[in-house]
Amino acid sequence: MIECDVLVVGAGPAGSSAARAAALSGAKTIFIDKKREVGVPVQCAEGIGEYLFPYLPFKIPKHLQVWKIDGISFWAEDITIERTGSNWSGYSINRDEFDKWLADKATNAGAKLMLETELIDLEVKGDYNVTKAIVKTPKGNKEIVPKVVIAADGVDSTVLKLLGFNLDLEKNAGYVIGFKMKNLKLEKPNHYQIYLGDFAPGAYAYIFPKSNTSANIGVGAIFFEKRLEECYEEFVNLPLIKKQIARGTIVEDRSGWAPIRYGIDKLNYGNVLLTGDVANQNFKPFIEGILPAIICGDLAGVVSSNFILKGEPLSNYTTYMENKLGNFFTESDRLIDTLYWLGKFPDKRGHLLRLGIFSNIFSLEQIHNLVNEDYTSLKSYLNDWDHNRKQF
Ligand SMILES: Cc1cc2nc3c(=O)[nH]c(=O)nc-3n(C[C@H](O)[C@H](O)[C@H](O)COP(=O)(O)OP(=O)(O)OC[C@H]3O[C@@H](n4cnc5c(N)ncnc54)[C@H](O)[C@@H]3O)c2cc1C
C-alpha cells in the first residue's frame, strides 16, 4: 500500500502539469499512466495557439515549437478567408516529445511517475470521498491511499466512471479521423487550413502543417449522418486537397475522441478535482485542449497542495479556473451551442454561416439574423469582408 497527498490519474498535459504544480507546492505527489511510454500513441493534430502563452505557468522552450504558424486559412463554397495576427498564430509541436517534456517537469519537481499503472477501482466513502485507488501494474495490483485525487485521465475517464457517472461518448464527444502525412506539396506551409463543407457535418476538416512537406490531416464531425471514413475520403478528393497530397504517404494514424460537451457539471466532487479533457477544458471550434489542459492542470495541482498543507477549500479550483480562463470557456460554450443549432441549416448556407463564425467575421450575436439571408447575400458579405479586411 502506497500513501500520498495527491494522486494524479493520467500523465497527459493536464496530469503532468497538475503533478508538477502539486509537487512544487510541497505535496507528496504520485502521477500514474496506463501507457508504457508518455505521449505515445499521438492522437492529436499538434497545434498550439500563441494567444494562450501568457496564461501558461511556464514557458515552452523554442526547440519544442517545431513549426511556426502565421495564420489560418478558412475555406467554404470556394471562398477563402485568411486570418493572421496574434489571435491566429501559433506552432505545431511533436506531441510525444512535448508530453515527455511535461512529465519530466513534474518528476523534476519531485512527483513520482508510475507508468504501466492503470486505475481499475476506487474505494469511495460518503459524498465522492476517495479513500483508496486500486491500480494494475506489471507486478500485480497495488493500493494507493491519497488525500486528493486529480482526474486527468482524458475524455473516456475511468475516474468519472468509477465515481458513478454515466459517460456517453457519442453524446458528449466527437470523433476525429486524422493522419500524419509526409511528401506533401503544401499550398501555404505556415498556415493552418480549415475546410467547411458536406464532408465535415457541422464541423471541419483540417491540414495542420508540421514542415514544408508534412502535416496532420483530418476530419471531424458533430453530426453523424454519414460515416466519418466516407467524409475523410470526400475531403481528400477535393481538388484543392488532392493537389497538395497527391504524392503524400500516411506516416501514422492519429485519430481519436475529443470532448465537445460537458458530461459532468462540476470541477470538484468530494476530494476529486477534474482537469483537462475529463472536464471538457478545450476551446471550440478547434477543440484546442493542450494548452488549456496545462493551465487548468496547474491550478488543480496548486489547489490540491494548498488544501493539504494550508486547508484551502478544493472548491477554490473552480474560482481560479473561472478567473483565469472563464471568458474563453464562456465564448467557447456559446459557440458550440450555436454550431449545434446551425445543424438545422444543413444546406450550403450553413457552410457559409460556419465560415463566417469560424473566421470570426460573423459574431454570435449576428448569426440569428444572418440565418434569414439567402446564399448569394451571405457569399457577398464574406467576399466583401475579404476585400475590405474589416469585421462585418
Ligand atoms: C484527433 C485529435 C486532434 C486534436 N488536435 C488538437 C490540436 O491540434 N491542438 C490542441 O490543443 N488539442 C488538440 N486535441 C485535443 C487534445 O489532444 C486534448 O485536449 C489533450 O490531449 C487533453 O489533455 P489531457 O491531459 O486532459 O488528456 P490526455 O492527453 O488524453 O491524457 C490522458 C492520459 O490519461 C491516461 N489514462 C486514461 N485512463 C487511465 C487509467 N484508467 N489509468 C491510468 N491512466 C489512464 C491516458 O493513457 C493518457 O495518457 C486533439 C484531439 C484529437 C482526438
Side-chain angles (χ1 to χ4, degrees):
M1 191 166 76
I2 309 160
E3 288 187 15
C4 66
D5 291 330
V6 181
L7 169 64
V8 183
V9 184
S16 291
S17 178
R20 171 191 166 274
L24 264 188
S25 314
K28 186 182 171 197
T29 306
I30 295 175
F31 65 131
I32 63 167
D33 204 294
K34 63 183 178 186
K35 290 177 178 169
R36 184 174 300 169
E37 189 181 337
V38 169
V40 180
V42 172
Q43 292 174 292
C44 189
E46 305 183 293
I48 55 172
E50 214 165 11
Y51 71 99
L52 283 172
F53 282 16
Y55 299 88
L56 288 169
F58 41 75
K59 286 204 166 111
I60 298 171
K62 285 276 168 218
H63 75 273
L64 293 174
Q65 302 168 9
V66 295
W67 190 250
K68 179 82 182 84
I69 297 297
D70 298 325
I72 308 185
S73 303
F74 297 90
W75 181 95
E77 297 296 305
D78 286 332
I79 300 178
T80 302
I81 289 174
E82 280 183 9
R83 305 291 325 234
T84 50
S86 55
N87 284 338
W88 307 89
S89 60
Y91 294 89
S92 291
I93 58 172
N94 291 328
R95 257 309 281 278
D96 45 353
E97 202 187 353
F98 189 82
D99 283 18
K100 285 188 182 76
W101 168 74
L102 283 171
D104 284 348
K105 284 186 91 61
T107 51
N108 290 340
K112 180 178 160 57
L113 174 60
M114 293 170 66
L115 289 172
E116 291 186 273
T117 302
E118 181 179 3
L119 175 76
I120 54 168
D121 205 0
L122 288 177
E123 183 182 272
V124 186
K125 298 225 167 103
D127 202 10
Y128 301 112
N129 199 29
V130 174
T131 46
K132 201 188 282 175
I134 318 295
V135 298
K136 193 169 117 195
T137 80
K139 292 184 180 158
N141 290 358
K142 291 191 172 144
E143 293 179 358
I144 302 179
V145 177
K147 294 184 180 125
V148 176
V149 173
I150 298 180
D153 53 341
V155 64
D156 195 20
S157 168
T158 307
V159 176
L160 282 183
K161 283 182 219 159
L162 293 173
L163 287 179
F165 292 96
N166 203 356
L167 296 184
D168 184 347
L169 263 192
E170 303 229 335
K171 189 165 149 245
N172 297 319
Y175 198 71
V176 182
I177 288 196
F179 300 96
K180 182 178 176 193
M181 292 188 76
K182 63 177 188 181
N183 300 333
L184 306 172
K185 204 166 171 226
L186 295 170
E187 285 276 302
K188 283 205 154 204
N190 296 99
H191 269 221
Y192 290 140
Q193 302 176 30
I194 299 283
Y195 294 86
L196 306 150
D198 291 332
F199 45 81
Y204 63 94
Y206 62 86
I207 297 182
F208 279 17
K210 297 202 66 187
S211 72
N212 280 319
T213 55
S214 64
N216 287 308
I217 299 184
V219 173
I222 59 171
F223 303 115
F224 297 97
E225 59 259 27
K226 55 186 170 188
R227 286 175 53 243
L228 209 49
E229 288 80 4
E230 280 173 49
C231 296
Y232 183 81
E233 276 310 305
E234 217 177 291
F235 171 61
V236 294
N237 281 305
L238 291 178
L240 264 177
I241 309 304
K242 229 174 168 174
K243 68 178 181 190
Q244 298 188 72
I245 69 166
R247 299 216 174 121
T249 46
I250 290 178
V251 181
E252 204 172 70
D253 186 340
R254 297 190 152 185
S255 313
W257 287 97
I260 295 182
R261 295 203 277 202
Y262 298 95
I264 33 88
D265 53 11
K266 290 201 295 179
L267 295 175
N268 167 215
Y269 292 91
N271 65 344
V272 182
L273 296 181
L274 315 176
T275 187
D277 273 5
V278 179
N280 187 26
Q281 285 169 335
N282 62 61
F283 299 139
K284 283 73 181 183
F286 305 117
I287 322 280
E288 184 183 4
I290 304 168
L291 300 190
I294 294 177
I295 299 162
C296 298
D298 179 73
L299 296 175
V302 171
V303 172
S304 305
S305 181
N306 286 350
F307 166 76
I308 290 154
L309 302 173
K310 301 179 188 163
E312 181 181 347
L314 284 175
S315 56
N316 278 4
Y317 167 52
T318 308
T319 316
Y320 294 158
M321 206 283 294
E322 273 166 9
N323 288 346
K324 200 149 200 182
L325 295 181
N327 290 343
F328 290 108
F329 282 115
T330 305
E331 201 54 22
S332 168
D333 293 345
R334 285 181 62 210
L335 187 87
I336 199 71
D337 287 345
T338 307
L339 291 183
Y340 276 103
W341 177 74
L342 276 179
K344 288 193 220 154
F345 307 91
D347 57 1
K348 289 176 184 305
R349 285 184 317 134
H351 304 325
L352 293 177
L353 290 165
R354 271 187 290 275
L355 175 64
I357 294 178
F358 274 53
S359 57
N360 203 22
I361 292 170
F362 297 160
S363 71
L364 295 181
E365 286 74 28
Q366 287 171 318
I367 215 73
H368 289 265
N369 293 329
L370 287 168
V371 288
N372 300 318
E373 301 278 350
D374 62 22
Y375 180 80
T376 317
S377 312
L378 287 173
K379 228 175 167 177
S380 71
Y381 292 149
L382 290 159
N383 276 324
D384 285 351
W385 178 86
D386 206 19
H387 293 140
N388 301 328
R389 307 306 268 184
K390 62 175 177 7
Q391 174 97 23
F392 169 67

